[in-house]
């Protein structure tokens, strides 16, 4: 079973040995393929915070530009933070922010040509990009007690995963 196939049970887990030890999957014999993954998630914010982002009035700087850089950096460094991920050649990263009344959605598309997929890279891009947004706006999101009752990162998911033989 390849790393990209659906797992149907514990016997099909590729990241564990027969003894239950954790291992990195050997992808050395797999052919290179063009691969693409798209992930998305959203951060819920106060409407006044969304307005400040739209009007570029956040004291720390351009929120979306900074979050875009953070998302791309996270994609490139996924293998360093997820223990069993392979270091893969990233050929492209696209980020797309959509601002609503009380939330920002971030979609990250990652492309590679290699032996393994890039969905973890797309997910890392989304979560880090949204964390950067939170970091940039936390001073205006806090309530009088220093808490974040209106702020939350939600609905992080893989939207698409594609593989084409080179």
């Amino acid at each position: 079973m390849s790393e990209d196939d659906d797992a149907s049970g514990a016997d099909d887990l590729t990241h564990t040995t027969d003894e239950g030890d954790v291992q990195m999957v050997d992808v050395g014999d797999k052919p290179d393929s063009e691969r693409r993954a798209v992930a998305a998630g959203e951060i819920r914010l106060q409407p006044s915070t969304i307005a400040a982002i739209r009007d570029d009035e956040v004291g720390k700087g351009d929120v979306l530009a900074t979050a875009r850089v953070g998302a791309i950096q996270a994609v490139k460094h996924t293998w360093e933070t997820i223990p069993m991920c392979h270091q893969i050649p990233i050929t492209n990263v696209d980020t797309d922010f959509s601002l609503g009344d009380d939330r920002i959605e971030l979609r990250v598309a990652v492309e590679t040509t290699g032996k393994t997929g890039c969905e973890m890279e797309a997910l890392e891009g989304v979560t880090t990009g949204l964390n950067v947004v939170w970091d940039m706006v936390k001073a205006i999101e806090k309530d009088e007690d220093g808490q974040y009752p209106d702020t939350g990162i939600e609905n992080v998911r893989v939207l698409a995963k594609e593989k084409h033989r080179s």
Side-chain angles (χ1 to χ4, degrees):
M1 168 178 261
S2 80
E3 184 178 6
D4 293 322
D5 293 339
D6 292 331
S8 59
D11 293 338
D12 297 326
L13 294 176
T14 57
H15 283 83
T16 57
T17 65
D18 291 340
E19 295 78 30
D21 295 325
V22 176
Q23 69 178 359
M24 180 180 256
V25 174
D26 182 356
V27 297
D29 291 334
K30 291 176 70 176
D32 284 347
S33 300
E34 293 177 12
R35 297 162 181 271
R36 182 174 190 270
V38 181
E42 52 195 38
I43 184 167
R44 193 173 18 85
L45 301 166
Q46 299 171 55
S48 59
T49 302
I50 298 288
I53 292 169
R54 267 198 184 101
D55 297 336
D56 196 20
E57 295 176 349
V58 175
K60 285 188 173 183
D62 186 329
V63 172
L64 301 184
T66 306
R68 179 170 286 112
V69 171
I72 293 168
Q73 282 294 99
V75 166
K76 293 171 21 177
H77 291 276
T78 299
W79 65 278
E80 294 175 314
T81 58
I82 303 216
M84 298 303 143
C85 275
H86 294 84
Q87 184 177 9
I88 63 173
I90 304 298
T91 57
N92 191 41
V93 179
D94 284 321
T95 58
D96 181 44
F97 293 92
S98 299
L99 280 68
D101 293 334
D102 66 346
R103 65 194 60 238
I104 297 173
E105 182 183 66
L106 171 57
R107 287 180 182 232
V108 175
V110 178
E111 296 174 11
T112 185
T113 300
K115 300 176 184 306
T116 188
C118 52
E119 60 271 26
M120 297 312 298
E121 287 75 7
L123 288 165
E124 283 280 294
V126 167
T127 56
T128 298
L130 295 174
N131 280 332
V132 171
V133 170
W134 193 324
D135 180 58
M136 297 285 290
V137 301
K138 64 185 178 187
I140 55 178
E141 277 292 295
K142 281 192 252 186
D143 68 10
E144 60 278 353
D145 297 322
Q147 302 301 309
Y148 301 100
D150 299 312
T151 314
I153 293 173
E154 304 173 338
N155 204 17
V156 175
R157 68 239 182 248
V158 174
L159 298 176
K161 177 182 161 182
E162 304 165 11
K163 177 171 76 170
H164 309 283
R165 294 274 186 245
S166 297

